[in-house]
Amino acid sequence: KQEVTQIPAALSVPEGENLVLNCSFTDSAIYNLQWFRQDPGKGLTSLLLIQSSQREQTSGRLNASLDKSSGRSTLYIAASQPGDSATYLCAAFHTGANSKLTFGKGITLSVRP
Amino acid sequence: NAGVTQTPKFRVLKTGQSMTLLCAQDMNHEYMYWYRQDPGMGLRLIHYSVGEGTTAKGEVPDGYNVSRLKKQNFLLGLESAAPSQTSVYFCASSLMGLPGYTFGSGTRLTVV
């Protein structure tokens, strides 16, 4: 059974800081790894998706990396802004008869002005 | 607008009452999912469907039933609501289970 862990549960940083959010998973036989953003009281918005054959994906100030062998993914946020304050969830995706996403519990990020 | 629409957005139920949550998608996605999100527990899969007329159990199916009579709709039913079912419910869909899930905006359910 896949388990996805995100530590710490909450993080507070000053504006402008570069930061890394960590995600670990126990079953390395994943199809891809996805990062989502969730604002308070809202649904999930997909940020980045890394295929199992890829090492990283970039979108603007966001960069996500994947190391299947060690069961880890990181989301790098450059030059953080107060608007980046949200909960960030990673999710491991498996294909097959039970195709589904397994989510971590998320990291709640607060960027202080 | 294309996407996943959930109704209702908010609901308060009394213990023992029943209700149905509706999820509708207009992207012709085969796969649809119901998740619940609770503080400290993350998102947990309740039921899912890999196509019209099919349903399957997820991690936490007890107390819920689902139906997928039409490809675009996935219904989640609570036959006898319990306070433990107080949660935020999210529906999602994907094309043949491929990456790139689209999520609805959620239904906040309180059972008193």
Side-chain angles (χ1 to χ4, degrees):
Chain A
K1 177 185 174 184
Q2 176 72 277
E3 293 184 4
V4 179
T5 303
Q6 295 183 255
I7 296 173
L11 187 62
S12 179
V13 301
E15 182 176 3
E17 190 163 302
N18 301 324
L19 58 100
V20 173
L21 306 181
N22 293 308
C23 171
S24 62
F25 48 94
T26 55
D27 184 351
S28 62
I30 61 172
Y31 187 80
N32 63 54
L33 192 290
Q34 303 182 43
W35 283 91
F36 294 86
R37 168 179 172 145
Q38 185 177 29
D39 293 292
K42 303 293 184 181
L44 279 71
T45 300
S46 180
L47 294 175
L48 288 166
L49 185 155
I50 313 174
Q51 299 289 1
S52 61
S53 58
Q54 298 175 320
R55 297 299 293 266
E56 64 180 77
Q57 281 286 331
T58 299
S59 176
R61 294 182 295 107
L62 305 180
N63 175 278
S65 67
L66 175 64
D67 185 344
K68 281 183 58 178
S69 61
S70 66
R72 295 185 180 186
S73 176
T74 61
L75 179 66
Y76 175 83
I77 303 177
S80 58
Q81 304 170 358
D84 294 329
S85 298
T87 296
Y88 292 82
L89 298 99
C90 68
F93 184 80
H94 291 263
T95 58
N98 296 312
S99 173
K100 65 173 184 177
L101 277 173
T102 302
F103 284 86
K105 295 180 181 179
I107 298 174
T108 298
L109 172 66
S110 174
V111 181
R112 307 185 301 271
Chain B
N1 294 332
V4 176
T5 303
Q6 292 182 233
T7 53
K9 295 190 183 304
F10 303 93
R11 185 71 184 269
V12 178
L13 282 180
K14 293 182 179 179
T15 298
Q17 287 185 320
S18 63
M19 78 164 294
T20 300
L21 282 66
L22 171 63
C23 177
Q25 54 93 5
D26 58 5
M27 297 169 287
N28 204 35
H29 284 174
E30 290 289 337
Y31 285 49
M32 296 187 74
Y33 311 82
W34 276 108
Y35 287 88
R36 61 178 288 175
Q37 186 177 35
D38 303 290
M41 299 296 291
L43 279 103
R44 294 178 292 171
L45 183 64
I46 306 171
H47 285 280
Y48 64 101
S49 168
V50 301
E52 181 178 322
T54 74
T55 62
K57 295 180 180 180
E59 295 177 71
V60 289
D62 294 342
Y64 304 96
N65 57 76
V66 288
S67 64
R68 185 95 181 271
L69 299 179
K70 294 183 178 181
K71 184 178 182 179
Q72 64 268 33
N73 296 335
F74 194 29
L75 279 64
L76 178 71
L78 286 74
E79 291 186 349
S80 180
S84 61
Q85 294 177 304
T86 293
S87 186
V88 181
Y89 292 85
F90 287 99
C91 176
S93 69
S94 69
L95 184 64
M96 298 298 292
L98 293 173
Y101 280 36
T102 301
F103 278 82
S105 58
T107 295
R108 186 171 297 273
L109 176 66
T110 302
V111 183
V112 298

